Amino acid sequence: MAASRPGAKDLTQGPIASTLLMFAVPTLASNILQSLNGSINAIWVGRFLGAQALAATANANIIMFLMFSIVFGFGMASTVLIGQAMGRRDIDAARRAFGSAVGFCLVLAVIVATAGWIGAPALLRLLATPAEAFDMALTYLRVIFIAMPATLLSVMMMMGLRGVGDARTPLIFMIVSVVIDLVLNPVLILGLGPAPAMGIAGSATATAAAGIISLIGLVAYTYAKDLPLRLRGAELNYLLPAADQMRVLLSKGLPMGMQMIVMSASGLVMIGFVNREGLLVTAAYGASQQLWTYLQMPAMAMGAAVSAMAAQNIGAGRWDRISRITAYGIGYQLLITGAMVTVMLVFHEALLALFLGDNVSAIAAAWHMQLRVSWSFLAFGCTMILFGVMRANGVVVKPLLILAFTLFVVRIGFYHVGFPLIGVDALWFSYPVSSFTAMLLAVLVYAQGGWRKAKLLVPVHEEECRETVNSDAEPAGRLNPTG
């Protein structure tokens, strides 16, 4: 059986509650590590190189996030394909899906990296990057673009491993990447020891080196441990994206990536509204956003875990477990997010002071918006769990439409209608209004049940047809591929 292989975990058997929790926790830890890494790197850059360098990295990171959003979509699509294949105990199909995803990602990453390196000045001008930060941002961005293929391949491989039920290996190499990045950042920025002082390029080089080293380690570990998705011999041909696999990756991956872009675009619009309220409110909002980033993590991690687990069970035909997977996912998410919201509200002064120092007025403004916004992440999390389950069966357009409607029509519409009546509070109350509307719509789509009838529409592979025919004549049935 595929799930008995080293590194694979069968998510279709045993107790749902403990299995889901043990699968989700490493993913949550990876997300937290990644965010902490970004925060600490920002501190290194800000402390050592000043506000101009920090502004430069902020502008470059906007572009990088858009690139990762697209790859995230393809990665989630491949996770679903791999998960369903593992649920069917078809490891060869899982490898085909993984190979097509990695091969396509590599080609896409090389094209984007090349175009990005050439077009970086135009991209920064499009973002209206401040003149004093332009040169630094250009240097930083070009180094990051050079390392992009390795970075995106790492992301794709980690998401593929989660599809076979392995959340431990991605966590290990996320730790490796973060440790290398944190150590190299000050060394290369300042030129400590034999290293040259590279300034802003040093920060980018540290991040690039961490990604490349982590990828090399991940590939080596995959083959050394003979993990399920390793490709050998004729299987290496799977790296040439197959037409049937590409249809699924594009039709499902693009809408998933668009979900991330829609959320980012909505955030940019909201920042524009916040900026109208003056520097004090903008500073308070910036500090609050730092905390809200962490409040989103349980929803994203649990959503990814639920999606992978549901995909395996759908592939195995275990529809009897899907409702319980959904229920446990929502329950865990409410528990973890609720605990985090409570901690952040109880210790709000100390947490906000990390970003706002002793600015009492800004802390008070941030506390005001925290009270109105923080609890809305409970509803956001429930929505992400329901989306994750539906995504496990290839349903991606309806979640995208719900997000677009609630984040733009509902949230921005509430702001415009409410502002003349309640002033700036219309901004903060627009968050719970849109979040609970999205949750209600997600519940309606989930309860209606049409998503259960969807198919990924991957044509049966020619080799599978031959094996199926042979299995009719062989007492032993279909043979499982060996390692």
Side-chain angles (χ1 to χ4, degrees):
M1 294 172 65
S4 67
R5 292 183 55 82
K9 183 172 180 59
D10 189 350
L11 303 179
T12 67
Q13 305 291 332
I16 292 173
S18 58
T19 302
L20 178 61
L21 184 62
M22 294 305 294
F23 184 57
V25 166
T27 304
L28 177 59
S30 294
N31 291 348
I32 291 174
L33 274 173
Q34 199 167 25
S35 290
L36 282 174
N37 183 42
S39 298
I40 294 172
N41 283 350
I43 292 173
W44 288 136
V45 171
R47 290 281 181 93
F48 296 148
L49 300 175
Q52 292 179 355
L54 194 57
T57 60
N59 277 269
N61 286 336
I62 292 173
I63 296 171
M64 292 305 302
F65 181 83
L66 293 176
M67 299 298 103
F68 278 109
S69 295
I70 298 297
V71 173
F72 170 83
F74 293 131
M76 284 309 306
S78 68
T79 298
V80 171
L81 283 170
I82 292 166
Q84 288 203 11
M86 294 299 289
R88 297 192 306 269
R89 306 295 190 266
D90 189 349
I91 195 168
D92 189 63
R95 287 173 180 164
R96 284 202 312 274
F98 178 70
S100 290
V102 169
F104 174 70
C105 176
L106 178 60
V107 173
L108 178 65
V110 170
I111 293 172
V112 170
T114 303
W117 196 91
I118 296 170
L123 287 171
L124 292 173
R125 282 193 289 269
L126 186 64
L127 287 174
T129 304
E132 57 270 28
F134 189 92
D135 289 340
M136 284 187 173
L138 180 59
T139 300
Y140 183 90
L141 189 57
R142 279 183 161 168
V143 174
I144 292 295
F145 269 123
I146 290 172
M148 179 178 284
T151 305
L152 296 187
L153 279 179
S154 290
V155 172
M156 186 65 72
M157 287 191 66
M158 289 180 182
M159 296 183 80
L161 287 169
R162 292 187 183 111
V164 301
D166 182 2
R168 177 176 170 272
T169 300
L171 175 59
I172 290 172
F173 287 94
M174 178 59 69
I175 293 172
V176 170
S177 178
V178 167
V179 169
I180 293 172
D181 197 2
L182 291 180
V183 171
L184 287 184
N185 245 280
V187 170
L188 296 180
I189 288 174
L190 299 176
L192 302 179
M198 301 172 65
I200 190 72
S203 179
T205 302
T207 301
I212 292 170
I213 294 171
S214 177
L215 174 63
I216 293 171
L218 180 57
V219 172
Y221 184 86
T222 298
Y223 281 89
K225 296 294 185 180
D226 194 31
L227 298 186
L229 296 181
R230 60 92 190 116
L231 304 177
R232 286 200 178 102
E235 293 171 341
L236 292 172
N237 290 326
Y238 296 160
L239 292 172
L240 299 174
D244 56 341
Q245 301 285 336
M246 286 308 306
R247 279 196 293 272
V248 177
L249 287 176
L250 290 172
S251 64
K252 307 302 181 184
L254 286 175
M256 291 184 203
M258 284 300 298
Q259 288 182 31
M260 302 291 289
I261 293 175
V262 164
M263 287 191 283
S264 299
S266 173
L268 291 174
V269 172
M270 296 304 288
I271 288 174
F273 294 148
V274 171
N275 287 340
R276 298 177 184 178
E277 304 302 320
L279 181 60
L280 180 70
V281 174
T282 300
Y285 182 74
S288 295
Q289 272 197 314
Q290 290 288 333
L291 301 183
W292 295 339
T293 296
Y294 292 94
L295 290 183
Q296 293 181 54
M297 289 181 185
M300 304 305 287
M302 193 60 67
V306 162
S307 188
M309 190 173 190
Q312 281 200 20
N313 281 271
I314 290 171
R318 295 298 308 272
W319 283 97
D320 57 301
R321 290 165 57 91
I322 300 300
S323 295
R324 285 181 292 156
I325 291 171
T326 306
Y328 278 116
I330 289 174
Y332 282 137
Q333 183 277 139
L334 289 173
L335 182 64
I336 298 170
T337 305
M340 292 177 68
V341 169
T342 301
V343 169
M344 287 187 181
L345 292 180
V346 170
F347 299 100
H348 70 277
E349 287 191 16
L351 292 171
L352 293 170
L354 291 173
F355 307 100
L356 299 171
D358 57 359
N359 190 326
V360 177
S361 298
I363 290 176
W367 169 239
H368 181 82
M369 61 185 73
Q370 287 281 322
L371 284 174
R372 286 152 179 77
V373 175
S374 296
W375 55 280
S376 69
F377 287 96
L378 295 169
F380 170 79
C382 293
T383 303
M384 291 298 104
I385 299 300
L386 294 172
F387 284 176
V389 175
M390 290 187 281
R391 181 173 65 223
N393 204 33
V395 175
V396 292
V397 174
K398 287 182 179 178
L400 173 61
L401 294 176
I402 290 173
L403 275 182
F405 173 73
T406 53
L407 291 179
F408 285 94
V409 178
V410 175
R411 180 175 291 182
I412 296 174
F414 182 88
Y415 166 74
H416 284 298
V417 172
F419 190 82
L421 302 174
I422 58 177
V424 71
D425 270 348
L427 263 178
W428 319 134
F429 284 121
S430 72
Y431 281 84
V433 168
S434 62
S435 294
F436 279 92
T437 301
M439 183 181 73
L440 175 61
L441 293 174
V443 168
L444 291 175
V445 172
Y446 180 88
Q448 186 270 335
W451 63 273
R452 294 173 178 263
K453 301 173 184 177
K455 300 292 182 183
L456 282 178
L457 301 177
V458 178
V460 178
H461 192 262
E462 180 182 351
E463 183 63 27
E464 285 186 43
C465 291
R466 285 196 293 267
E467 288 182 15
T468 303
V469 171
N470 291 337
S471 72
D472 292 336
E474 294 175 6
R478 182 176 170 185
L479 298 176
N480 287 314
T482 61

